[in-house]
């Protein structure tokens, strides 16, 4: 890469070369035109003289005179040959210029180089009365002209001009090199000083000599002043960097502690949700198990009485009929309540195992949503809120059912706790639609709605409207992280104050293999 000095020199050389080239081209054109005009005049003069002097000599067949006339005209170097032809005998006389410049006679009509010009030779004879008779063609003359002289002159002029341009360019380069050093040598020292200032590790100030009394001297003195100022700030900057480095280490440690605490809180929230599920299911199972136990006790007592009657031989038909009625009723109660307990245990077992193991498997979506909602009945039966499910059958997901149960649970309970006041009657609708390889799930309530100032922050951690009332602000944050990071989907929320809220989840039917970069980008897009 050229420096400024090299580029200035190149610019001046190009400008001078162009100017001299244009000037030389014009001079070359003018010289060529003059040579062409001179050559044309020479041709015209030679032909005129030959047409004037040769006819009479040729009429008299005076070969010596013809040779002399031709030899006299061969003096200009532009003439290659002159050949005179008689109308009867052919070549009458001729002269040829050899390569060494000498002139010799032409003995035969061989091919001659150069540009030929042919002219007729007409003889005019005056009669006795002095009247001019009609001219008689007595022969023709062929003159060959050469352009070698013109080309040589033009070539010599080109060489002269090229030599002149090269000499001027060399003089210009030398002059510029000497003159620009006055400016660029101090600039180079200033540049070296800047590089040294940027790379030198010590705090010592090495000032540039400022003995010049011109503009560059003022620049160097200004640089020295700046260098001293910069050096005076280096120590303070280094001290600030040390403090910043210590603060960064402290901040990084605090951030790491905060991240671990947040992860612990998230895990605690999930475990708390599972613990609430366990407590609710245990309470719900207590009733059918108690009824079944009571019915079994009644049946056992009736059986002992019948057994004693049979053993004593005092059994009656009425005793047997009463026992059968008691057995039938007890059996019915035991079967119904055992079935109810088994159904609750099955739903709880599947959901609990899914949430703890976080295993991936294929499952049918509608049945699984029904199981999740069934597991929430101990919580829902204490309210006047109904949950309806609108999901087409046979939608199969290859995904993480435990995480999906966590999402549905958190969204449903979030609606129960935040959308309605205690004792309010309301409805929560879980709707599902499938489009190609994606599903869209909507969780809609007709409750109070979300305030506009909180609508953009509902998925942020620790954001809650029930601070101090048991709300942690982590439920919807867990939902967002699961949808974005584990399912590779999106979740959006919309709400009109007083008209409820709508959460819309979009996720693939087949959860993709984890791609941290893609999932984080998607999470940032919707955060």
């Amino acid at each position: 890469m050229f420096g400024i000095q090299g580029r200035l020199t190149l610019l001046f050389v190009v400008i001078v070369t162009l100017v001299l080239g244009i000037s030389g081209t014009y001079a070359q054109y003018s010289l060529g035109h003059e040579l062409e005009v001179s050559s044309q005049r020479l041709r015209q003069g030679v032909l005129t003289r030959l047409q004037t002097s040769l006819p009479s000599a040729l009429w008299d067949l005076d070969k010596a005179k013809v040779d002399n006339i031709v030899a006299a005209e061969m003096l200009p170097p532009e003439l290659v040959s002159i050949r005179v032809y008689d109308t009867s005998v052919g070549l009458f006389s001729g002269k040829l210029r050899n390569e060494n410049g000498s002139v010799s006679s032409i003995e035969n009509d061989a091919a001659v180089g150069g540009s030929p010009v042919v002219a007729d030779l007409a003889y005019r004879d005056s009669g006795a009365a002095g009247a001019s008779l009609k001219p008689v063609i007595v022969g023709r003359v062929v003159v060959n002209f050469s352009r070698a002289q013109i080309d040589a002159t033009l070539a010599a002029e080109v060489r002269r001009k090229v030599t002149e341009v090269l000499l001027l360019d060399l003089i210009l380069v030398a002059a510029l090199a000497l003159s620009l050093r006055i400016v660029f040598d101090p600039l180079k020292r200033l540049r070296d000083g800047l590089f040294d200032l940027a790379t030198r590790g010590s705090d010592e100030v090495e000032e540039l000599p400022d003995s010049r009394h011109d503009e560059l001297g003022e620049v160097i003195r200004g640089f020295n002043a700046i260098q001293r100022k910069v050096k005076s700030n280096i120590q303070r900057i280094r001290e600030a960097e040390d403090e910043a480095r210590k603060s960064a280490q402290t901040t990084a440690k605090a951030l790491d502690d905060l991240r671990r605490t947040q992860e612990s809180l998230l895990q605690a929230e999930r475990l708390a949700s599972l613990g609430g599920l366990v407590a609710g299911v245990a309470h719900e199972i207590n009733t059918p198990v108690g009824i079944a136990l009571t019915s079994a006790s009644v049946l056992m007592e009736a059986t002992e009485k019948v057994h004693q009657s049979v053993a004593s031989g005092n059994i009656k038909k009425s005793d047997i009929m009463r026992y059968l009625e008691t057995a039938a009723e007890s059996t019915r109660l035991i079967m119904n309540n055992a079935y109810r307990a088994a159904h609750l245990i099955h739903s709880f077992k599947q959901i609990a195992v899914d949430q703890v193991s976080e295993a991936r498997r294929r499952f049918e979506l509608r049945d699984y949503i029904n199981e999740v909602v069934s597991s929430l009945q101990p919580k829902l039966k204490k309210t006047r809120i109904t949950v309806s499910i609108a999901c087409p059958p046979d939608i199969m997901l290859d995904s993480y059912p435990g995480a999906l149960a966590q999402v549905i649970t958190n969204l449903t309970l979030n609606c129960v706790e935040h959308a309605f006041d205690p004792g309010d009657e309301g409805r929560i609708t879980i709707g599902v639609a499938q489009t190609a390889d994606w599903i869209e799930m909507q969780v809609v309530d007709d409750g109070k709605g979300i305030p506009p100032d909180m609508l953009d922050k509902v998925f942020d951690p620790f954001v809650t409207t029930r601070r101090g009332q048991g709300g942690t602000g982590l439920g919807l944050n867990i939902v967002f992280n699961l949808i974005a990071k584990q399912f590779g989907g999106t979740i959006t929320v919309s709400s009109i104050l007083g008209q409820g809220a709508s959460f819309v989840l979009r996720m693939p039917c087949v959860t993709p293999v984890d791609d941290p970069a893609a999932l984080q980008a998607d999470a940032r897009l919707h955060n």
Side-chain angles (χ1 to χ4, degrees):
M1 180 178 179
F2 286 127
I4 297 178
Q5 182 176 358
R7 282 181 284 180
L8 285 175
T9 302
L10 179 62
L11 178 63
F12 280 112
V13 168
V14 170
I15 292 175
V16 171
T17 302
L18 286 175
V19 171
L20 293 179
I22 294 172
S23 174
T25 302
Y26 178 75
Q28 188 77 1
Y29 170 78
S30 299
L31 177 61
H33 180 69
E34 291 176 1
L35 292 176
E36 290 291 343
V37 171
S38 176
S39 176
Q40 188 64 29
R41 287 199 299 266
L42 175 63
R43 294 183 183 189
Q44 192 64 34
V46 170
L47 288 176
T48 301
R49 289 193 296 271
L50 290 176
Q51 286 179 320
T52 302
S53 58
L54 283 178
S56 60
L58 193 59
W59 176 265
D60 295 334
L61 299 178
D62 188 351
K63 189 175 186 310
K65 184 176 180 181
V66 171
D67 290 341
N68 290 333
I69 293 172
V70 171
E73 294 295 338
M74 284 294 293
L75 292 177
E78 289 84 354
L79 273 75
V80 177
S81 68
I82 300 177
R83 288 169 291 176
V84 181
Y85 292 89
D86 188 12
T87 56
S88 58
V89 298
L91 182 62
F92 186 80
S93 176
K95 296 294 183 179
L96 174 67
R97 187 178 304 280
N98 299 318
E99 294 181 356
N100 57 6
S102 61
V103 178
S104 61
S105 298
I106 299 176
E107 301 297 335
N108 51 33
D109 196 8
V112 179
S115 176
V117 179
V118 181
D120 293 330
L121 299 176
Y123 175 71
R124 297 176 181 272
D125 189 14
S126 300
S132 177
L133 299 179
K134 183 179 180 180
V136 178
I137 302 300
V138 296
R140 60 189 175 89
V141 61
V142 179
V143 183
N144 288 72
F145 292 91
S146 173
R147 290 186 54 84
Q149 191 69 21
I150 296 176
D151 294 340
T153 302
L154 291 176
E157 183 65 17
V158 169
R159 289 192 295 272
R160 188 183 69 81
K161 287 292 184 183
V162 170
T163 303
E164 179 182 343
V165 170
L166 292 177
L167 287 176
L168 287 175
D169 285 343
L170 289 175
I171 294 173
L172 179 62
V173 169
L176 288 174
L178 293 175
S179 59
L180 292 178
R181 285 183 60 185
I182 300 174
V183 176
F184 285 99
D185 283 352
L187 289 179
K188 288 180 180 178
R189 290 196 298 271
L190 184 60
R191 178 202 62 191
D192 295 339
L194 288 172
F195 277 117
D196 184 62
L197 176 63
T199 58
R200 189 167 58 239
S202 64
D203 296 335
E204 297 179 359
V205 177
E206 296 183 6
E207 297 185 0
L208 299 179
D210 55 356
S211 58
R212 298 175 62 98
H213 300 285
D214 52 12
E215 291 83 354
L216 290 175
E218 294 178 0
V219 172
I220 292 175
R221 285 188 287 274
F223 168 74
N224 289 334
I226 292 173
Q227 184 177 210
R228 288 191 296 269
K229 182 67 175 177
V230 169
K231 288 298 183 181
S232 65
N233 293 332
I234 287 179
Q235 186 62 35
R236 292 196 299 271
I237 293 175
R238 287 180 177 175
E239 293 175 357
E241 287 178 350
D242 292 339
E243 292 296 329
R245 191 177 298 108
K246 294 177 182 178
S247 299
Q249 293 174 353
T250 304
T251 303
K253 185 177 182 302
L255 181 61
D256 187 57
D257 294 340
L258 179 61
R259 188 177 295 111
R260 286 196 299 268
T261 302
Q262 184 176 1
E263 291 175 355
S264 300
L265 288 174
L266 292 176
Q267 185 65 22
E269 179 72 13
R270 297 184 64 179
L271 293 177
S273 176
L274 184 59
L277 175 64
V278 171
V281 170
H283 178 75
E284 192 71 14
I285 291 176
N286 186 56
T287 299
V289 169
I291 294 174
L293 181 61
T294 302
S295 300
S297 298
V298 172
L299 180 60
M300 183 179 68
E301 183 179 351
T303 302
E304 289 179 354
K305 288 182 179 181
V306 171
H307 185 270
Q308 291 175 0
S309 297
V310 171
S312 62
N314 295 324
I315 187 67
K316 299 178 182 179
K317 181 179 180 180
S318 58
D319 294 336
I320 295 176
M321 296 302 297
R322 190 165 45 252
Y323 172 74
L324 291 176
E325 291 175 359
T326 302
E329 180 65 19
S330 298
T331 303
R332 184 182 65 80
L333 290 174
I334 291 172
M335 289 297 297
N336 289 342
N337 286 276
Y339 175 78
R340 182 182 175 190
H343 176 70
L344 290 173
I345 292 172
H346 173 75
S347 298
F348 164 73
K349 177 181 178 182
Q350 185 61 62
I351 294 172
V353 169
D354 286 336
Q355 289 195 15
V356 173
S357 66
E358 296 185 354
R360 176 173 181 160
R361 63 181 176 88
R362 284 177 57 83
F363 58 94
E364 203 272 334
L365 182 59
R366 187 174 70 172
D367 291 343
Y368 196 75
I369 294 177
N370 284 324
E371 291 181 359
V372 174
V373 174
S374 296
S375 68
L376 297 177
Q377 287 303 318
K379 180 74 173 179
L380 296 174
K381 66 185 301 183
K382 299 176 182 179
T383 68
R384 300 176 60 194
I385 300 171
T386 59
V387 179
S388 61
I389 300 171
C391 178
D394 300 327
I395 296 181
M396 299 300 298
L397 298 187
D398 183 357
S399 187
Y400 300 93
L404 183 59
Q406 184 76 47
V407 169
I408 297 173
T409 300
N410 285 15
L411 288 176
T412 304
L413 295 182
N414 182 76
C415 295
V416 171
E417 294 174 0
H418 298 279
F420 305 98
D421 290 329
D424 286 351
E425 184 176 354
R427 174 177 292 274
I428 301 172
T429 302
I430 302 175
V432 179
Q434 183 176 10
T435 303
D437 296 332
W438 286 73
I439 64 166
E440 181 174 288
M441 181 184 300
Q442 288 187 332
V443 180
V444 183
D445 66 74
D446 57 356
K448 297 183 295 184
I450 303 174
D453 59 335
M454 293 194 62
L455 196 59
D456 294 335
K457 301 184 292 184
V458 294
F459 297 118
D460 293 345
F462 309 111
V463 173
T464 180
T465 59
R466 300 186 61 193
R467 184 76 63 194
Q469 303 176 21
T472 63
L474 294 174
L476 291 182
N477 181 253
I478 292 175
V479 170
F480 177 82
N481 288 329
L482 289 175
I483 293 297
K485 297 180 181 180
Q486 190 157 355
F487 292 108
T490 61
I491 179 170
T492 58
V493 60
S494 60
S495 177
I496 298 177
L497 198 61
Q499 300 182 21
S502 173
F503 292 86
V504 179
L505 294 72
R506 292 192 76 252
M507 65 183 72
C509 294
V510 178
T511 300
V513 178
D514 291 345
D515 183 357
L519 296 180
Q520 290 176 7
D522 188 52
R524 287 194 300 270
L525 179 64
H526 294 278
N527 202 347

